[in-house]
Amino acid sequence: MAVLSVRRYGDPVLRQKARPVKTITDEIRALVADMVETMHHQVGIGLAAPQVGIPLRLLVMDDGRRGIRTLVNPAIVERQGTVKAEEGCLSLPGIFAEVARSEWVRVEALDIEGAPVGLEAKGLQARVIQHELDHLDGVLFIDHLPPMARDRIKRRIQKEGLPEHSPHAFAL
Ligand code: ZN
């Protein structure tokens, strides 16, 4: 296993629409193991493959007491409610903002064995899933902000750059 380098805002891979995973090969399993190690190393609770430079529809998340979850080709099939909360992103270290997300989601995906899984999530886990699924479509959390707030963040990044490290309990 290895810690992979996390791509940062400005890297074109973060803006690509990721391709579905066709077959779960040994290579994919190795990538997932590396992504889990990278997520823990970065003190994140979710990580999408494009964040480590691989444009595939694949994400890992730390589901607290239920452990690590791998979602292959995930899709949100149902959602309810809206809730605002602060979000951060491993690809945008040091940047945090309140983002409106669905309060509850139902997801369909494949697990790492290739078996179909259905998952219902609310609160933080629902937020993690929506944030990571956005990464698979080339969307970043700042894209959800009102234009003025987004421009302010973009100007700040242009001016100051992104910090090397920004420890935070909620980075995705
Ligand atoms: Zn992120």
Side-chain angles (χ1 to χ4, degrees):
M1 293 210 290
V3 172
L4 306 169
S5 89
V6 174
R7 305 299 178 94
R8 292 163 157 241
Y9 179 73
D11 190 315
V13 75
L14 293 174
R15 289 310 198 176
Q16 249 176 279
K17 195 170 162 66
R19 297 185 310 272
V21 175
K22 283 196 188 132
T23 324
I24 297 167
T25 57
D26 286 347
E27 244 181 335
I28 296 285
R29 278 185 279 268
L31 170 65
V32 165
D34 287 347
M35 282 171 64
V36 169
E37 194 172 345
T38 305
M39 173 174 73
H40 284 152
H41 178 79
Q42 300 278 349
V43 205
I45 53 176
L47 190 67
Q51 288 183 281
V52 293
I54 311 290
L56 286 176
R57 305 189 77 81
L58 176 67
L59 63 89
V60 296
M61 56 189 281
D62 192 336
D63 202 356
R65 63 201 151 82
R66 274 180 296 190
I68 302 294
R69 227 179 234 286
T70 303
L71 299 179
V72 178
N73 301 338
I76 294 173
V77 293
E78 211 181 326
R79 49 173 91 228
Q80 275 173 24
T82 307
V83 62
K84 262 188 168 186
E86 188 175 74
E87 250 172 67
C89 178
L90 294 174
S91 298
L92 281 147
I95 308 288
F96 302 98
E98 285 221 321
V99 182
R101 298 280 189 189
S102 300
E103 205 168 5
W104 175 92
V105 292
R106 176 165 172 76
V107 180
E108 287 177 1
L110 300 177
D111 67 14
I112 193 61
E113 311 300 334
V117 283
L119 163 69
E120 288 176 19
K122 57 180 181 166
L124 179 60
Q125 294 306 329
R127 183 165 292 273
V128 172
I129 287 170
Q130 291 169 81
H131 179 114
E132 301 308 339
L133 253 97
D134 271 356
H135 276 304
L136 306 183
D137 290 321
V139 174
L140 299 172
F141 80 94
I142 56 171
D143 300 339
H144 293 291
L145 303 179
M148 271 177 63
R150 188 170 59 231
D151 289 348
R152 205 179 316 124
I153 288 174
K154 286 183 175 172
R155 275 199 305 275
R156 196 181 123 196
I157 295 172
Q158 269 173 3
K159 209 171 130 208
E160 302 169 18
L162 292 166
E164 267 316 301
H165 292 288
S166 174
H168 191 277
F170 187 45
L172 309 166

